[in-house]
Amino acid sequence: MASQEENQAQPFADIFDEDEAEQSFLLSKPTCFVIFGKPGSGKKTLARKLAERWKCILIEASEVIQTNIHEETEYGLKCQELLLKGQSISEELVTEMILQKIESPGVAHFGYVLSGFPSLSEEYMTVSQQIEKIKNLKLKPDFLVNIKCPDYDLCERISGLRQDPGSGQVYQRSRWDSEVIEKHKTEEDQPEEESEEEDEEQEEEETEEDPLRTSESFDQLVQRPEDILENAVERVGTYKNIMLHPLEELMTEQDCRYLIEVDGNQQPDDVFESKKKACVPSGKTHICCYCCFNKQDKLFRVLSSCNPIAPRYRWRRSRWGKACPVALKEGDIVMGNPDLAVSFLGKMYVLSSPEALKTFMLNPRPYLLPPMPLPPCKVLVFGPPFSGRTTLCNLIAHKYKGKV
């Protein structure tokens, strides 16, 4: 009878271990993408949308340069110095910044979307060497996305690009060519049931989003040298000659389930939607959600009922309680500030300073993995002179991995 009761009770046992699931997530690898395609095929646009959708970090040459200059890093100061002298930034410096960004703590947590690498320029590294760098990355790409577009269509699209010299914004032909705009207007079927008020609201929104449409003249737009048809044809030909074959070999080695090819002739939103649907069945997900609170009342009573992630679900207290995880990792017990509270995986953590909050938001994994939370043990060794205090301190520090 006892064995029958045990067999009946076993199916109702909860086999889910929350701590084990959380540790498995913290040890998991973030989702990473690499986007390939011919020049002007829309790699950067797709990369930016993917980074926003998957909460990854966009890694692209111009973005990396701007970030380093804005943060005034060592590389950023070098770039700024070169630009002030009227010189171009070397390919070696750009490659070093990209590789450094890939190895940063934030990328180790959120993952990356890499675009524009390998580069057509072989000034510093050949295409084959750049591809070897991708293969040997510590965080290897999970998805390879290849944007395919016929040469003729792509060159026509590139030659139709125009830039506003004031803002630097680039517009496609469908945005500035009056003949193409009128043609699209006649082809579009507008619903008959739309009210005049809705039409007026849409016109106001379009006017606000695109200041170019408010002006009747498009004379201020210019064509960049690289967008001239002959130069576009030459760039596409260079891509096919030096990069296409090595990339095809790389894509051949990739698991076909994680190799995605999209039609570059589609609209950017359609390309993104097709890419998103291709990623979902593979089971690759990256859930990382932060919710910051600014409450000064009693900490846990207030925060536990603030912005619940689901109905009748409250934020829960973590093992760290009111202690700052970053300070605890560094060997100090510091109580957190309620203004610097953050939630992660449904639990609350309270940081002690804006620097600790920034560090934790960048990559919380090192501060949450076991053996943390481990309260620091501080030992005071005292005795008469020449009694061996220093030797004993060193032995204790070596044994328990502490500091003297």
Side-chain angles (χ1 to χ4, degrees):
M1 292 295 291
S3 60
Q4 291 181 358
E5 291 178 357
E6 290 178 358
N7 292 335
Q8 291 178 357
Q10 187 174 2
F12 296 98
D14 186 4
I15 61 173
F16 175 72
D17 188 338
E18 183 179 0
D19 295 336
E20 183 180 345
E22 182 174 332
Q23 183 175 347
S24 175
F25 171 78
L26 294 173
L27 291 172
S28 64
K29 175 184 175 296
T31 306
C32 302
F33 302 85
V34 178
I35 300 180
F36 304 121
K38 298 174 184 176
S41 59
K43 298 187 294 294
K44 187 175 179 179
T45 302
L46 178 59
R48 185 178 289 108
K49 288 180 176 291
L50 278 177
E52 293 175 357
R53 170 64 178 81
W54 287 76
K55 309 300 180 186
C56 296
I57 295 178
L58 174 62
I59 301 179
E60 192 267 338
S62 60
E63 295 284 341
V64 171
I65 293 172
Q66 292 176 6
T67 302
N68 278 270
I69 293 176
H70 177 71
E71 296 178 355
E72 297 183 351
T73 63
E74 182 182 352
Y75 288 122
L77 295 175
K78 289 181 180 179
C79 294
Q80 198 167 12
E81 183 181 354
L82 291 171
L83 294 174
L84 289 174
K85 292 180 180 178
Q87 302 177 5
S88 60
I89 302 173
S90 65
E91 194 69 25
E92 179 180 1
L93 188 58
V94 175
T95 303
E96 289 178 357
M97 286 189 290
I98 290 176
L99 295 178
Q100 183 194 50
K101 187 69 174 178
I102 293 176
E103 297 174 356
S104 63
V107 171
H109 178 56
F110 291 100
Y112 62 81
V113 181
L114 180 61
S115 174
F117 189 85
S119 168
L120 279 175
S121 173
E122 294 186 314
E123 174 188 341
Y124 173 55
M125 299 171 62
T126 64
V127 172
S128 299
Q129 291 173 337
Q130 295 179 63
I131 291 178
E132 283 299 318
K133 282 287 185 182
I134 294 177
K135 291 181 180 180
N136 297 326
L137 289 174
K138 184 178 179 180
L139 284 178
K140 298 185 183 301
D142 300 291
F143 292 98
L144 299 183
V145 184
N146 184 27
I147 303 177
K148 304 181 71 174
C149 187
D151 295 350
Y152 176 80
D153 296 340
L154 183 59
C155 293
E156 286 294 320
R157 184 200 305 172
I158 295 175
S159 63
L161 296 177
R162 296 293 185 272
Q163 186 179 39
D164 186 352
S167 63
Q169 180 69 32
V170 178
Y171 298 92
Q172 295 184 359
R173 185 183 297 277
S174 59
R175 304 277 300 279
W176 63 266
D177 194 332
S178 57
E179 295 181 359
V180 178
I181 294 173
E182 290 297 329
K183 183 179 179 181
H184 283 313
K185 285 183 178 179
T186 56
E187 292 177 353
E188 290 178 353
D189 296 326
Q190 299 180 353
E192 298 179 357
E193 298 180 357
E194 288 184 354
S195 62
E196 294 180 358
E197 295 180 358
E198 292 178 351
D199 292 339
E200 292 177 358
E201 291 178 358
Q202 289 180 358
E203 289 177 1
E204 291 177 358
E205 291 177 358
E206 291 176 355
T207 303
E208 292 177 357
E209 290 178 358
D210 192 356
L212 185 65
R213 293 189 180 184
T214 59
S215 61
E216 299 178 356
S217 174
F218 299 97
D219 295 337
Q220 73 272 20
L221 298 183
V222 297
Q223 187 178 29
R224 298 174 298 181
E226 61 266 26
D227 296 334
I228 298 174
L229 182 60
E230 292 77 8
N231 295 337
V233 173
E234 182 179 354
R235 287 167 59 200
V236 173
T238 303
Y239 175 89
K240 295 173 68 175
N241 291 334
I242 70 174
M243 186 176 289
L244 186 59
H245 183 63
L247 285 182
E248 287 178 344
E249 292 182 350
L250 175 63
M251 290 185 286
T252 303
E253 299 173 1
Q254 178 76 0
D255 189 338
C256 61
R257 294 176 298 173
Y258 305 123
L259 173 62
I260 302 169
E261 295 184 339
V262 294
D263 184 6
N265 273 333
Q266 301 179 26
Q267 292 297 322
D269 291 337
D270 297 333
V271 173
F272 171 67
E273 289 298 326
S274 63
K275 164 69 189 66
K276 185 172 67 174
K277 292 177 182 178
C279 289
V280 171
S282 65
K284 285 282 184 181
T285 57
H286 179 55
I287 303 173
C288 179
C289 146
Y290 290 103
C291 299
C292 294
F293 305 97
N294 291 316
K295 301 291 181 180
Q296 297 182 356
D297 199 352
K298 291 185 179 180
L299 180 65
F300 293 105
R301 189 179 68 181
V302 176
L303 295 185
S304 62
S305 60
C306 181
N307 294 337
I309 59 178
R312 298 182 181 180
Y313 185 95
R314 292 187 174 187
W315 299 108
R316 293 167 295 161
R317 178 196 299 263
S318 68
R319 292 193 184 94
W320 283 255
K322 297 182 181 180
C324 174
V326 177
L328 196 62
K329 179 72 173 179
E330 295 173 353
D332 296 324
I333 300 178
V334 182
M335 294 298 104
N337 184 350
D339 291 336
L340 303 176
V342 63
S343 68
F344 177 65
L345 297 179
K347 295 179 181 178
M348 296 179 296
Y349 303 91
V350 191
L351 286 307
S352 58
S353 66
E355 293 76 16
L357 176 63
K358 182 179 179 181
T359 304
F360 187 83
M361 293 281 285
L362 192 63
N363 187 356
R365 300 182 187 223
Y367 309 102
L368 304 184
L369 285 169
M372 305 305 297
L374 182 65
C377 179
K378 299 181 180 181
V379 180
L380 173 63
V381 179
F382 59 93
F386 304 104
S387 60
R389 291 173 299 179
T390 304
T391 304
L392 183 58
C393 284
N394 291 330
L395 290 173
I396 294 176
H398 178 74
K399 174 67 176 178
Y400 296 102
K401 297 180 181 179
K403 293 181 181 179
V404 177

